[in-house]
Amino acid sequence: QVHLVESGGGLVQAGGSLRLSCAASGHTFRNFEMAWFRQAPGKERDFVAAIRTSSSTTYYSDSVKARFTISRDKATNTLTLQMNSLKPEDTAVYYCAASGRMALSALRNHYMYNYWGQGTQVTVSS
């Protein structure tokens, strides 16, 4: 069993920055694919960013590319999402997710992830 706990959300003005963290425990963190998803009220859960366990290669949605950075620290079992140049449309609950190794084509699909954190609210005011 993997336990994920997000932190770092909050209220920020447009153009500002936030740093989300996800602390993982209960299993071998280094063997898991890790990702961030977000969900705005009344909308589907959307892919934000992922980092592969094998290569640490990163992937981003087009909407956050060049503004957000995903990283992982295997020594501390922590996943991080640095969010810069935030926009009001980034407002959502952000979730950390983990799963065993999967095909590249599956990384952006939230149904492929077995473990989820409780979510942290990010609100960007205009």
Side-chain angles (χ1 to χ4, degrees):
Q1 187 71 17
V2 174
H3 187 54
L4 304 173
V5 179
E6 301 99 334
S7 61
L11 172 65
V12 65
Q13 288 189 330
S17 298
L18 281 175
R19 186 178 180 88
L20 305 184
S21 294
C22 173
S25 62
H27 214 282
T28 308
F29 179 75
R30 63 171 56 91
N31 292 334
F32 281 81
E33 316 278 28
M34 302 292 297
W36 290 96
F37 289 81
R38 66 187 182 186
Q39 189 166 18
K43 294 190 176 182
E44 294 287 319
R45 188 164 295 191
D46 289 334
F47 171 78
V48 175
I51 185 165
R52 303 217 68 174
T53 179
S54 56
S55 63
S56 293
T57 304
T58 56
Y59 302 88
Y60 298 92
S61 68
D62 288 342
S63 62
V64 307
K65 198 176 296 182
R67 298 188 297 123
F68 291 10
T69 302
I70 186 173
S71 61
R72 67 192 298 169
D73 185 335
K74 294 183 177 180
T76 61
N77 288 353
T78 302
L79 180 73
T80 300
L81 185 69
Q82 178 66 43
M83 306 186 294
N84 299 327
S85 303
L86 283 161
K87 304 175 180 180
E89 51 262 45
D90 294 318
T91 295
V93 177
Y94 283 70
Y95 296 92
C96 171
S99 182
R101 295 181 182 184
M102 66 178 78
L104 178 59
S105 59
L107 276 179
R108 298 169 186 260
N109 185 347
H110 66 90
Y111 292 109
M112 301 302 294
Y113 289 82
N114 305 112
Y115 304 104
W116 292 87
Q118 82 287 354
T120 185
Q121 177 70 46
V122 171
T123 303
V124 184
S125 63
S126 58

